[in-house]
Amino acid sequence: MMADRSTNRFVMPRDSFQAAYLDLHRSGELQQRAAQAIADLTHCEACPRQCGVNRLENETGVCKTGRDPIVSSHFPHMGEEDCLRGWRGSGTIFFSMCNLRCVFCQNYDISQEGHGRITSPERLAAMMLELQTAGCHNINFVTPEHNVPQVLEALVLAIEGGLRLPLVYNTSAYDSLESLRLLDGIVDIYMPDFKIWDPEHSMRYLKAKDYPQVARAAIKEMHRQVGALTLDQHGLALRGVLIRHLVMPEDLAGSSEIMHFLAQEISPDTFVNIMRQYRPSGKVGAEDYPEINRRISHREYQQAFIAARQAGLWRFDQRLR
């Protein structure tokens, strides 16, 4: 029997949507989760690095972040996927620092050098409300993996201030299952990258050999929580998983294997953005990591896209990225 590829299955009327976190807040469960998550920062295991430092005393581990998060910027982002940016932008909050060490990071000054300001829970909540007032379609937390407790803490305050927008968790997929389970019933839209398939390549380029294993488990958990991506009648994302994958030179990302995993172990209905904007950045140069010191070719991009279709995937972001 031919698979049902009707897009109508993935449309929800906007007026029947409610942000997932509102019920948990009304029940008091959100407040309890936030309080426990903050308390657990005394021996931080918020991400797979499991550094064990006391962040409540501003000790820092791999992410170099203490009690409060560092925020680089917040603004209506018009460069995200069409289903997120819409016509008024995605309300992005860019957290600084990262639990990965991607040598090719295009935001190296933010992710590794810590550009930004230490931000209190009250200020983080105010940022969410400012973005809602600006007309953004959602609140988009970028690189939140090491700041899940602080996001929950600020979210409680933002809801009390009137927040009602869908939440986007925009992640590298280097997430702990414990943190993701804290977000169950809170996050509406998960947007993980799946960066690299091979552990040795992950060690060389991300400085995390366990990245592929962690990412597979994380994406499975995200899909368990929210399922395939659902849009409203205007094409705006409301709930579900949207996967990003950046094609790399020489297929060092393992695009074919990643697409097969998504189709076979997540769902052939998975919405995927196969991105072509790789460029040498961060630590990449003629002497360091010369094998990725170039942009990808049109052929390399097309091969990744063909691999996705051959795997059985069919829902793609249509813009060339």
Side-chain angles (χ1 to χ4, degrees), residues 20 24 29 33 179-187 190 221 224-226:
L24 279 185
E29 173 70 17
R33 290 191 200 178
S179 287
L180 291 177
R181 287 166 185 151
L182 281 175
L183 297 172
D184 192 0
I186 295 171
V187 167
Y190 282 104
E221 173 62 18
R224 182 195 69 78
Q225 292 183 21
V226 296

Side-chain angles (χ1 to χ4, degrees), residues 120-149:
S120 69
E122 294 78 13
R123 180 62 190 132
L124 184 55
M127 290 176 179
M128 299 182 213
L129 295 173
E130 289 167 12
L131 292 167
Q132 178 171 268
T133 300
C136 293
H137 301 292
N138 46 66
I139 301 299
N140 184 345
F141 299 113
V142 183
T143 319
E145 302 89 337
H146 55 298
N147 289 314
V148 169

Side-chain angles (χ1 to χ4, degrees), residues 13 22 29-30 62 82 126 141 149 153-154 156 165 178 185 190 206-207 211 224 231 247 260 262 268 272 279:
L22 293 175
E29 173 70 17
L30 174 57
V62 172
D82 289 344
F141 299 113
E153 180 183 38
V156 171
L165 294 179
E178 291 75 14
Y190 282 104
L206 313 182
K207 308 308 176 187
Y211 173 82
R224 182 195 69 78
L231 312 175
V247 180
H260 181 81
L262 294 175
V272 183
R279 66 178 188 274

Side-chain angles (χ1 to χ4, degrees), residues 4-21:
D4 180 4
R5 292 192 170 183
S6 168
T7 57
N8 292 335
R9 292 189 295 133
F10 305 105
V11 176
M12 176 193 303
R14 168 68 65 165
D15 57 10
S16 67
F17 171 81
Q18 174 184 274
Y21 50 79

Side-chain angles (χ1 to χ4, degrees), residues 284-300:
V284 176
E287 295 185 4
D288 296 315
Y289 310 101
E291 69 276 15
I292 57 173
N293 187 34
R294 65 171 176 84
R295 292 180 177 269
I296 66 166
S297 67
H298 178 71
R299 183 171 181 270
E300 285 172 320

Side-chain angles (χ1 to χ4, degrees), residues 204-224:
R204 177 164 173 77
Y205 302 118
L206 313 182
K207 308 308 176 187
K209 189 173 184 177
D210 62 343
Y211 173 82
Q213 174 186 346
V214 169
R216 288 193 293 269
I219 291 170
K220 286 182 178 180
E221 173 62 18
M222 294 173 193
H223 188 266
R224 182 195 69 78

